[in-house]
Amino acid sequence: MLEEFADLEREYRAFADEHVAPHAALIDREECIPTEVVEALRNAGLFATGFPSRDQDPIAANLRHGLVHEALGFASASVQGLVNVHHMAGSAIARWGSPAQKEHWVPRLASGEVKAALAITEPNVGSDAAAVETRAVVDGDAWLLRGAKCWITYGQNADLFVLLAATEQGGTAFLVPRRSANLHIEPIRGVLGCRGYMLARLHLDGVRLSSEHLLGKPGFGLTHVMATGLESGRYNLAWGCVGLARACLDASLEYAHERRQFGAPLASFQLVQQMIARMMTEVHAARLVCWHAGVLRARRDPSAIKEATMAKYYASTVVNRVAHDTLQIHGANGCGSGSPIERYVRDARIMEIIEGSTQVLELAIARYGYQERG
Amino acid sequence: MAENIAVPIREFVTRSFSGQQLADEDDMFALGFATSLFAMQLVAFVEKQFGVEVDSDDLDIDNFRSVRAIAGLVERKLAA
Ligand SMILES: Cc1cc2nc3c(=O)[nH]c(=O)nc-3n(C[C@H](O)[C@H](O)[C@H](O)COP(=O)(O)OP(=O)(O)OC[C@H]3O[C@@H](n4cnc5c(N)ncnc54)[C@H](O)[C@@H]3O)c2cc1C
């Protein structure tokens, strides 16, 4: 069935080759995504795929969306990350926003006029998101937020944050515009990989928000609003990992034929062939898991949540093995700063930490298994 | 509570909680069965099984805490 989407795949790859890939090294070096890349994404309508319309065939919409993330992951993990967090935040708004919130935000998000990010993590809170310390209290007819968020992808530039805070009723999601008074944004630089994520710390020093900024209901911020964003993020990131893994595989195939040692191309050595065979099989398998997750999502099947979790878990571990072997095949030539390979390895490493670390996803997947066992 | 609505909900809940038998009125959240994972699975199940859409107005724990509560939500949505 993926073959039916071959034209789209080519189209997105051509876009990424032309508008994203040429900037990938610079993005990594400067830790910043140029405006022209963001504008190109907008003009190509790539921010919109996270907001499928009702008249689109849901299976086609989900797979098209996946292929966008795959193509971006192939060209630049950083750019894929920007679009990913936008789609995560956007999916939470599209799913749980009030009619007025949806009417206001969704068209602006889909067009890319407004860029959104998702803010859960804090200095003391990572995997255990239920323990967030940022507090929101009722203050007259508004909410007052105090606390800090960190490691927020695209935090340096996003116009809108979907942000998790604790209230008396439990985890609660808020829409926090960047221009809110008493919101201070501090860039984070020098991260291992995905250096173009434009990470930031957010300091909420008494941010006052009217009730129109409440997303969903108090107490449902983590279990429903953020859970929707995270599910979307796992699906998107799984495809992004497949894209990055395919870039590694292509580079390995190329280099193995080009580089000669002991009078023969590396490709002729059986130990290199073993690495290539493992990469090919794992990349293909990861892609099929993503595809299957897309179909289940389109059918709104309850097991789609499990499938997206498995897709992210598997694809993020595959891309690490594949990037590792790619560097091995490239030897010293892959280690230099002029080579994309060392960037692939650093970017891949991030994938096992974000959107649920490998261990946290393993716990979740095992829990699904126990549930299914009955 | 209509049986044609209650039966699939009971089956889903029992399956989700490793075969644990709950009475229709048992509060799954107070009893500690319901996890955040279950919360989204439940929404997806209700929407797919009954062809309704759960939206932000429905986010009230009283709509989800027991088999009877979920059936009540579904009945109201189907009648709307
Ligand atoms: C590049 C980058 C971008 C990010 N972007 C965002 C963003 O946009 N928004 C946002 O909110 N956050 C973001 N994050 C934060 C990310 O979501 C967290 O890093 C992630 O949730 C893990 O939390 P932690 O790093 O604090 O690790 P911790 O939760 O402190 O975990 C540390 C280690 O312990 C393990 N561990 C934790 N709990 C368990 C357990 N129960 N059983 C077994 N092992 C366990 C973890 O797997 C990990 O290996 C980003 C992080 C990075 C690095």
Side-chain angles (χ1 to χ4, degrees):
Chain A
M1 186 169 175
L2 265 178
E3 287 73 44
E4 289 171 32
F5 293 88
D7 286 345
L8 267 182
E9 187 189 342
R10 268 192 295 277
E11 184 189 317
Y12 295 142
R13 270 289 272 284
F15 168 85
D17 285 349
E18 184 180 345
H19 297 284
V20 181
H23 302 275
L26 181 93
I27 290 171
D28 182 62
R29 211 166 44 244
E30 307 272 312
E31 304 189 30
C32 180
I33 298 176
T35 317
E36 62 187 284
V37 173
V38 180
E39 280 308 301
L41 294 167
R42 259 192 89 172
N43 294 339
L46 301 193
F47 286 117
T49 62
F51 308 88
S53 65
R54 279 179 191 278
D55 39 294
Q56 266 178 295
D57 167 45
I59 292 186
N62 269 282
L63 294 180
R64 168 192 290 262
H65 180 62
L67 292 174
V68 165
H69 282 279
E70 183 187 42
L72 295 178
F74 185 93
S76 162
S78 289
V79 173
Q80 190 272 331
L82 178 167
V83 179
N84 180 27
V85 293
H86 179 80
H87 284 149
M88 290 170 78
S91 67
I93 297 170
R95 182 72 176 82
W96 297 112
S98 65
Q101 286 170 333
K102 287 190 213 175
E103 196 181 319
H104 180 78
W105 292 111
V106 171
R108 289 172 172 81
L109 291 163
S111 71
E113 174 194 338
V114 168
K115 259 80 74 191
L118 197 87
I120 302 176
T121 308
E122 300 183 351
N124 294 324
V125 178
S127 305
D128 185 11
V132 288
E133 294 171 350
T134 295
R135 262 209 92 70
V137 292
V138 175
D139 182 34
D141 58 356
W143 291 88
L144 197 65
L145 276 71
R146 284 187 195 284
K149 297 284 170 187
C150 57
W151 303 112
I152 307 308
T153 300
Y154 211 50
Q156 292 176 30
N157 267 19
D159 307 294
L160 180 72
F161 297 97
V162 171
L163 182 143
L164 184 67
T167 64
E168 252 173 42
Q169 294 93 333
T172 301
F174 290 90
L175 294 168
V176 182
R178 170 184 201 82
R179 277 173 293 156
S180 304
N182 301 327
L183 171 64
H184 304 289
I185 296 175
E186 183 194 351
I188 301 175
R189 296 194 202 282
V191 185
L192 169 78
C194 297
R195 288 193 173 159
Y197 268 17
M198 302 178 78
L199 296 165
R201 281 182 205 94
L202 314 183
H203 301 277
L204 299 106
D205 302 324
V207 173
R208 225 180 125 78
L209 296 172
S210 67
S211 56
E212 288 108 72
H213 292 85
L214 183 68
L215 181 59
K217 296 268 182 70
F220 289 85
L222 179 60
T223 52
H224 293 72
V225 181
M226 292 300 179
T228 299
L230 287 169
E231 189 276 337
S232 146
R234 285 172 191 160
Y235 179 70
N236 303 339
L237 197 71
W239 278 105
C241 289
V242 171
L244 177 54
R246 290 182 83 185
C248 290
L249 176 59
D250 281 7
S252 297
L253 289 169
E254 195 65 30
Y255 191 77
H257 282 88
E258 183 181 286
R259 174 79 170 172
R260 295 177 71 85
Q261 288 296 292
F262 301 102
L266 297 183
S268 66
F269 303 138
Q270 288 182 339
L271 291 175
V272 172
Q273 288 169 8
Q274 182 182 45
M275 284 192 268
I276 298 281
R278 200 164 48 198
M279 281 189 216
M280 286 177 63
T281 309
E282 289 209 304
V283 171
H284 183 61
R287 199 157 194 260
L288 291 179
V289 180
C290 290
W291 168 77
H292 193 231
V295 172
L296 291 178
R297 285 180 110 222
R299 293 188 188 144
R300 304 189 84 160
D301 192 304
S303 66
I305 305 168
K306 172 186 74 177
E307 205 77 8
T309 306
M310 294 200 303
K312 191 275 173 178
Y313 166 66
Y314 185 60
S316 65
T317 52
V318 164
V319 74
N320 272 284
R321 287 192 288 275
V322 168
H324 179 94
D325 283 353
T326 299
L327 182 61
Q328 201 61 27
I329 288 174
H330 282 74
N333 285 337
C335 298
S337 62
S339 159
I341 309 305
E342 60 90 30
R343 166 164 51 87
Y344 293 162
V345 174
R346 289 186 285 104
D347 288 350
R349 197 62 195 87
I350 300 298
M351 304 302 161
E352 282 201 57
I353 294 172
I354 57 174
E355 263 65 286
S357 71
T358 290
Q359 290 69 34
V360 164
L361 297 184
E362 282 170 342
L363 296 177
I365 293 164
R367 233 177 285 132
Y368 289 119
Y370 299 158
Q371 202 183 52
E372 281 166 7
R373 179 180 166 269
Chain B
M1 183 171 64
E3 270 308 286
N4 62 330
I5 291 177
V7 167
I9 298 173
R10 266 185 223 120
E11 279 172 12
F12 177 77
V13 167
T14 306
R15 204 168 55 239
S16 302
F17 300 149
S18 302
Q20 187 81 31
Q21 294 294 329
L22 293 180
D24 288 349
E25 292 73 26
D26 281 347
D27 185 330
M28 298 178 268
F29 289 83
L31 290 170
F33 288 114
T35 58
S36 55
L37 173 73
F38 174 73
M40 277 305 288
Q41 285 177 318
L42 179 58
V43 169
F45 161 76
V46 163
E47 292 189 332
K48 191 169 163 69
Q49 177 73 32
F50 301 105
V52 296
E53 196 153 321
V54 177
D55 58 35
S56 58
D57 281 344
D58 304 316
L59 292 179
D60 182 333
I61 196 71
D62 289 337
N63 283 331
F64 298 106
R65 61 171 83 250
S66 65
V67 170
R68 186 174 291 281
I70 301 163
L73 170 70
V74 171
E75 281 172 357
R76 283 194 301 284
K77 295 239 118 199
L78 290 173

